[in-house]
Amino acid sequence: MNNITMLSKDAVSAKTAECFITIEGNRYNFMQAISVEATMEKAKTEIPVLGRLAKGNKAAGVKGTGSATFHYNTSMFRKLMKRFQDTGEDIYFDMQITNEDPTSAAGRQSVILKDCNFDSVIVAKFDADSDDSLTEDMDFTFESFEMPETFSVLDGMK
């Protein structure tokens, strides 16, 4: 029996992550980001199968959704929402997220979320009763993703 387990140091810390957003050909260091999570979900169809009580499931497509929390110190998305309000022109953007923890043998992974589109934007905000800095949450969709860099296979995984 193989008793190899993951080394604690190989867990990846998010503190050194990077996030870049590309809007209309301009690339921005999205250093305001606190957290981002993106999920690609399969859309499945139930398949009745003769001779079985259980239905099968067949993937029929995918849908990308995500959420981000960031410091409330950029007008970037408010400007895009204002433009949409005034002209009806909806703007899509790409988001590149890179995780790399130099202490982990996992190495580096980069994912590029393609054709992101936010759902809503906070237009104005304040909280005079809080000692915390202002943050905002944003839900978004994306059409596809690329992985130009992937984590290494850790010792003991194969």
Side-chain angles (χ1 to χ4, degrees):
M1 184 167 158
N2 190 349
N3 286 333
I4 295 176
T5 61
M6 185 186 87
L7 300 174
S8 298
K9 69 180 185 85
D10 290 335
V12 177
S13 171
K15 302 256 184 219
T16 56
E18 295 177 318
C19 184
F20 291 89
I21 294 179
T22 303
I23 302 172
E24 297 182 310
N26 297 310
R27 190 168 192 245
Y28 302 95
N29 183 350
F30 195 43
M31 59 189 174
Q32 294 88 347
I34 298 169
S35 66
V36 175
E37 183 171 289
T39 304
M40 182 66 80
E41 183 178 349
K42 291 181 183 178
K44 294 185 179 182
T45 303
E46 285 190 355
I47 307 294
V49 179
L50 187 63
R52 284 192 347 200
L53 294 178
K55 291 185 178 182
N57 294 283
K58 183 171 182 164
V62 292
K63 179 178 182 179
T65 59
S67 61
T69 300
F70 50 99
H71 294 285
Y72 185 80
N73 63 358
T74 179
S75 297
M76 180 184 310
F77 296 111
R78 276 173 281 291
K79 287 179 181 179
L80 293 175
M81 182 60 90
K82 176 91 167 81
R83 184 166 150 188
F84 178 66
Q85 169 194 278
D86 295 347
T87 68
E89 181 184 10
D90 204 1
I91 305 300
Y92 291 77
F93 57 93
D94 294 345
M95 183 184 306
Q96 179 177 337
I97 299 162
T98 301
N99 294 101
E100 181 177 26
D101 180 345
T103 66
S104 172
R108 179 179 169 103
Q109 174 180 276
S110 291
V111 173
I112 303 171
L113 307 176
K114 305 296 285 183
D115 298 317
C116 298
N117 187 267
F118 54 79
D119 296 346
S120 64
V121 170
I122 294 173
V123 176
K125 179 177 185 172
F126 76 85
D127 185 350
D129 191 38
S130 176
D131 291 331
D132 296 331
S133 59
L134 292 176
T135 63
E136 58 185 307
D137 296 322
M138 180 181 70
D139 292 329
F140 60 92
T141 56
F142 61 97
E143 304 295 320
S144 63
F145 72 97
E146 297 173 1
M147 287 180 49
E149 298 175 290
T150 60
F151 287 129
S152 301
V153 175
L154 297 173
D155 287 340
M157 286 180 67
K158 1 182 211 182

